[in-house]
């Protein structure tokens, strides 16, 4: 997604969080927040690679099997493309 080897928050999110969004995050479990971020990241990667599992896995640095497992765990399917 970026040429830099390190991802900064601005590279993952469309816009900075508003104060009310930060307040609502304090009620959310860290594991839920991280899963949400991971899901968005994988969806963006899949879309940028035209839903090619091999290319997406290579781009984000994981195996195809690991990507499939994450997609299953995070309920990511190709039919989400029209819902974004």
């Amino acid at each position: 997604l970026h040429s830099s080897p390190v991802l900064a928050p601005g590279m993952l999110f469309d816009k900075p969080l508003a104060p009310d969004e930060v307040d609502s995050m304090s009620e959310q479990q860290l594991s839920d927040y991280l899963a949400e971020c991971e899901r968005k990241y994988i969806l963006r990667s899949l879309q940028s690679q035209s839903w090619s599992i091999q290319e997406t896995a290579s781009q984000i640095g994981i195996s195809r099997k690991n990507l499939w497992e994450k997609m299953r765990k995070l309920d990511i399917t190709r039919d989400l493309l029209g819902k974004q």
Side-chain angles (χ1 to χ4, degrees), residues 8-83:
M11 296 174 192
L12 296 176
F13 304 104
D14 296 331
K15 59 182 179 167
L17 294 175
D20 61 328
E21 291 176 303
V22 173
D23 291 339
S24 68
M25 284 175 29
S26 64
E27 299 170 7
Q28 187 177 27
Q29 293 289 318
L30 178 60
S31 60
D32 294 337
Y33 177 75
L34 291 175
E36 182 181 321
C37 290
E38 184 176 33
R39 187 173 192 278
K40 288 178 181 180
Y41 177 79
I42 290 172
L43 273 170
R44 285 183 185 168
S45 297
L46 284 162
Q47 290 170 348
S48 75
Q49 297 298 322
S50 301
W51 284 80
S52 166
I53 300 299
Q54 178 64 44
E55 294 297 320
T56 302
S58 178
Q59 177 189 17
I60 63 177
I62 62 175
S63 70
R64 288 182 303 142
K65 180 183 179 201
N66 195 338
L67 178 56
W68 277 115
E69 290 170 350
K70 287 180 180 293
M71 289 173 65
R72 183 174 38 248
K73 176 184 169 194
L74 298 168
D75 194 30
I76 297 173
T77 60
R78 188 169 183 149
D79 63 330
L80 291 172
L81 185 61
K83 298 178 185 176

